[in-house]
């Protein structure tokens, strides 16, 4: 069993910064990808940043240059550093841990409960 718990969200003024944390507990698995998603009210869930099992990092165009995803394997924690926040960054941010095999079988796909980020004008 794996549990993902996000923290670090809150209310911040435009231009400010937040650092989100995703703490994994339980039987931690390796060779997985870690990602941050977000969902604004009335909109689809959006991939914000992903750190793949191969070490590749990809960001949504809207956050490039402002957000940074990182991982601390020793602490089983993934971070999302968010700088120069904009009102359009507002939403619920979710941590995701996934492993997909070469035959497309999803071995596991874990999600946290989400943490609210609100950026005021």
């Amino acid at each position: 069993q794996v549990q993902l718990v996000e923290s670090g969200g809150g209310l911040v003024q435009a231009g400010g910064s937040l650092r989100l944390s995703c703490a994994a507990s339980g039987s931690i698995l390796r060779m997985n990808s870690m990602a941050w998603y977000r969902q604004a009210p009335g909109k689809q869930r959006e991939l914000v940043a992903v750190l793949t099992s191969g070490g590749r990092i990809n960001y949504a165009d809207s956050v490039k240059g402002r957000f940074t995803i990182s991982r601390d394997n020793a602490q089983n924690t993934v971070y999302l550093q968010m700088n120069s926040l904009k009102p359009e960054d507002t939403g619920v941010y979710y941590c995701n841990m996934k492993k997909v095999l070469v035959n497309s079988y999803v071995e596991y796909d874990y999600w946290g409960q989400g943490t609210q980020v609100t950026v005021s004008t």
Side-chain angles (χ1 to χ4, degrees):
Q1 296 280 9
V2 173
Q3 296 81 43
L4 303 178
V5 179
E6 301 96 335
S7 62
L11 176 63
V12 64
Q13 190 175 5
S17 298
L18 287 173
R19 189 179 75 159
L20 306 183
S21 298
C22 174
S25 61
S27 57
I28 307 303
L29 304 174
R30 293 177 174 84
M31 301 300 295
N32 50 46
S33 65
M34 300 295 301
W36 286 96
Y37 290 76
R38 68 186 181 190
Q39 187 168 23
K43 297 184 178 180
Q44 295 180 336
R45 187 169 297 186
E46 170 192 21
L47 177 64
V48 176
V50 58
L51 176 58
T52 73
S53 60
R56 299 186 303 274
I57 299 177
N58 292 303
Y59 298 97
D61 289 339
S62 59
V63 307
K64 286 181 179 178
R66 300 187 297 119
F67 290 12
T68 303
I69 186 172
S70 61
R71 179 175 60 196
D72 185 336
N73 289 328
Q75 298 181 3
N76 294 315
T77 304
V78 177
Y79 303 96
L80 184 67
Q81 178 67 46
M82 306 185 296
N83 298 325
S84 301
L85 284 163
K86 304 175 181 179
E88 52 263 41
D89 295 319
T90 294
V92 179
Y93 283 69
Y94 298 91
C95 178
N96 171 253
M97 175 189 293
K98 179 187 292 185
K99 182 177 182 180
V100 181
L101 303 181
V102 294
N103 61 359
S104 298
Y105 172 73
V106 179
E107 187 171 348
Y108 52 82
D109 186 5
Y110 298 109
W111 291 87
Q113 81 289 346
T115 184
Q116 176 70 44
V117 172
T118 303
V119 184
S120 63
T121 59

